[in-house]
Amino acid sequence: MTTRSTELLRVAHARPGVTRAEAARLLGVGTGAATEIVARLVQASLLAEAPAAPSGSRGRPTMQLVPHPSGPLVLAAAITHEAWRIDVVELGGNTLTSVGGLHDGGGWDAVAAAVTAAVGELLTAYGDRLRAMGVSVPGTVSPELRLDASTSGWHDADLTALWAGPVFVAGNDATLAAAAETARGAALGATVALHLRIEGGLGGAVVDHGKVLVGARGAGGEFGHMPFGDPSIDCPCGARGCWGTAVDGTALARLLGRPAPPDPVTYARRVIAADSPAERAAVRQVAAALGRGIAGLVNGLDADLVTLGGIGVDLLAAAPAELDAAYRAGLMSVHRASPPPVRPAALGDDGPIAGAGEEAWSRLLPGLA
Ligand SMILES: [Zn+2]
């Protein structure tokens, strides 16, 4: 089909429930041409039309563009240090089914086996409607789609083994969350948005005028490995004094004199929710370490908005004064008059999986129509 068909599908995806008339206006085509394109897409089982809710005005009911009941679907997957999840996502971003499970933080092979088994079951259920897969992972992804996640001990893992179909994309969790946050979340409209995500360690991404900076090798945004932390602490990445070791669950455990937890996210949330003086002091200290580092990045990048994901949201809620004081103290005076806001990510923990789904859809769409 034509580029206009692809553009119309893109509009239907980006604006779920858009009417045919609105889509025509957004594409800059006449209503006759739009009707023709929609008819072709309906014929190809890519799109369907449904009457919109009555607006109260007279005349023919407006038709909304909706996913075709037997149309294409993508798998959006998120693998974290503790768990995995796969969503079946239709055009427009709606999730039809979600499956997932915990893993013991052990070898990559066991995690990959659990994910491929689940993909196999979803293929049985949805058949060839499943056309693409996007995967979010907690580490860096090379152009050859190999994963390196030092905090989990996963090295050179072949992500392409997770999906046998033609359209497969994989990316770093913080990068995908940043993209989703810019497309549908709290960073919509920001000029330079900085997204930071604390899970096991800290990852991030910079979105410059809507474009995510991924780096030459796909390893951009590893802000957790900037030396903003304690220089006496070894990081699993091989460096010392990494910021990530000062702001995650392992940092809280160290401050409390406990061993590094195998489940740093669950552990951090437990400590943040606890109310003993020692735990509260540790949370305040970690929140200040987060605020100080954010200031360094805002100074370096001139970001106009900072969004936080993962444990960053919990730290911001638990110790906002300590985080803010450290942030402001670290800002250059040029930024201090009106500090760029630091906000929780609107998509919350769903940011990475939402980003994986968006990425899969954006790769799939041009090949469909
Ligand atoms: Zn490091």
Short mmCIF file of all heavy atoms in Angstrom, two decimals, residues 150-151 222 224-226 234-245, ligand 1:
data_model
loop_
_atom_site.label_atom_id
_atom_site.label_comp_id
_atom_site.label_asym_id
_atom_site.label_seq_id
_atom_site.Cartn_x
_atom_site.Cartn_y
_atom_site.Cartn_z
N SER A 150 25.48 -5.89 33.88
CA SER A 150 26.53 -6.26 34.84
C SER A 150 25.96 -6.55 36.23
O SER A 150 26.43 -7.46 36.90
CB SER A 150 27.60 -5.17 34.91
OG SER A 150 27.02 -3.91 35.16
N THR A 151 24.92 -5.80 36.65
CA THR A 151 24.41 -6.03 38.00
C THR A 151 23.73 -7.39 38.15
O THR A 151 23.64 -7.92 39.24
CB THR A 151 23.43 -4.92 38.45
OG1 THR A 151 22.54 -4.63 37.38
CG2 THR A 151 24.16 -3.65 38.82
N GLU A 222 24.14 5.66 30.55
CA GLU A 222 24.53 4.89 31.75
C GLU A 222 25.01 5.85 32.85
O GLU A 222 26.15 5.77 33.31
CB GLU A 222 25.59 3.85 31.39
CG GLU A 222 25.05 2.70 30.57
CD GLU A 222 24.07 1.83 31.37
OE1 GLU A 222 24.30 1.61 32.57
OE2 GLU A 222 23.06 1.40 30.79
N GLY A 224 24.30 5.95 35.85
CA GLY A 224 24.58 5.29 37.13
C GLY A 224 26.04 4.98 37.31
O GLY A 224 26.48 4.71 38.42
N HIS A 225 26.80 5.01 36.20
CA HIS A 225 28.23 4.70 36.31
C HIS A 225 29.08 5.96 36.20
O HIS A 225 30.26 5.90 35.87
CB HIS A 225 28.62 3.63 35.29
CG HIS A 225 27.81 2.38 35.48
ND1 HIS A 225 28.04 1.51 36.53
CD2 HIS A 225 26.73 1.90 34.82
CE1 HIS A 225 27.14 0.53 36.47
NE2 HIS A 225 26.33 0.75 35.45
N MET A 226 28.48 7.12 36.47
CA MET A 226 29.28 8.33 36.63
C MET A 226 29.75 8.34 38.09
O MET A 226 29.02 7.93 38.98
CB MET A 226 28.43 9.57 36.31
CG MET A 226 27.97 9.57 34.86
SD MET A 226 27.02 11.04 34.43
CE MET A 226 28.35 12.17 34.08
N ASP A 234 33.13 -0.55 45.26
CA ASP A 234 33.28 -1.21 43.95
C ASP A 234 31.91 -1.40 43.32
O ASP A 234 30.96 -1.82 43.98
CB ASP A 234 33.92 -2.59 44.10
CG ASP A 234 35.41 -2.48 44.42
OD1 ASP A 234 36.08 -1.64 43.79
OD2 ASP A 234 35.87 -3.22 45.30
N CYS A 235 31.82 -1.11 42.02
CA CYS A 235 30.57 -1.34 41.29
C CYS A 235 30.74 -2.62 40.46
O CYS A 235 31.83 -2.90 39.97
CB CYS A 235 30.30 -0.14 40.38
SG CYS A 235 28.84 -0.31 39.34
N PRO A 236 29.65 -3.39 40.25
CA PRO A 236 29.76 -4.60 39.43
C PRO A 236 30.26 -4.31 38.00
O PRO A 236 30.74 -5.21 37.33
CB PRO A 236 28.33 -5.15 39.39
CG PRO A 236 27.63 -4.53 40.53
CD PRO A 236 28.30 -3.22 40.80
N CYS A 237 30.17 -3.06 37.56
CA CYS A 237 30.61 -2.72 36.20
C CYS A 237 32.12 -2.72 36.07
O CYS A 237 32.66 -2.65 34.97
CB CYS A 237 30.07 -1.36 35.77
SG CYS A 237 30.97 0.04 36.46
N GLY A 238 32.84 -2.76 37.22
CA GLY A 238 34.30 -2.74 37.17
C GLY A 238 34.89 -1.42 37.61
O GLY A 238 36.09 -1.33 37.86
N ALA A 239 34.07 -0.38 37.69
CA ALA A 239 34.56 0.93 38.14
C ALA A 239 34.33 1.08 39.65
O ALA A 239 33.67 0.26 40.28
CB ALA A 239 33.86 2.04 37.37
N ARG A 240 34.87 2.17 40.18
CA ARG A 240 34.66 2.47 41.61
C ARG A 240 33.93 3.79 41.75
O ARG A 240 34.10 4.68 40.92
CB ARG A 240 36.00 2.59 42.32
CG ARG A 240 36.67 1.27 42.54
CD ARG A 240 37.92 1.47 43.38
NE ARG A 240 38.11 0.28 44.21
CZ ARG A 240 38.87 0.26 45.30
NH1 ARG A 240 39.46 1.36 45.70
NH2 ARG A 240 39.00 -0.86 45.99
N GLY A 241 33.13 3.90 42.82
CA GLY A 241 32.48 5.17 43.12
C GLY A 241 31.30 5.50 42.22
O GLY A 241 30.92 6.66 42.10
N CYS A 242 30.70 4.47 41.59
CA CYS A 242 29.59 4.74 40.68
C CYS A 242 28.38 5.27 41.45
O CYS A 242 28.05 4.81 42.54
CB CYS A 242 29.21 3.47 39.92
SG CYS A 242 30.41 3.04 38.66
N TRP A 243 27.70 6.24 40.82
CA TRP A 243 26.51 6.86 41.42
C TRP A 243 25.44 5.81 41.73
O TRP A 243 24.77 5.88 42.76
CB TRP A 243 25.99 7.92 40.44
CG TRP A 243 24.86 8.76 40.92
CD1 TRP A 243 24.60 9.15 42.20
CD2 TRP A 243 23.86 9.36 40.10
NE1 TRP A 243 23.49 9.95 42.22
CE2 TRP A 243 23.02 10.09 40.95
CE3 TRP A 243 23.60 9.34 38.73
CZ2 TRP A 243 21.92 10.80 40.47
CZ3 TRP A 243 22.51 10.05 38.25
CH2 TRP A 243 21.68 10.77 39.11
N GLY A 244 25.25 4.86 40.82
CA GLY A 244 24.22 3.83 41.01
C GLY A 244 24.37 3.09 42.33
O GLY A 244 23.37 2.70 42.94
N THR A 245 25.62 2.90 42.78
CA THR A 245 25.83 2.17 44.04
C THR A 245 25.46 3.02 45.25
O THR A 245 25.46 2.53 46.37
CB THR A 245 27.31 1.71 44.19
OG1 THR A 245 28.15 2.86 44.27
CG2 THR A 245 27.73 0.83 43.01
ZN ZN B 1 29.54 1.18 37.68
#
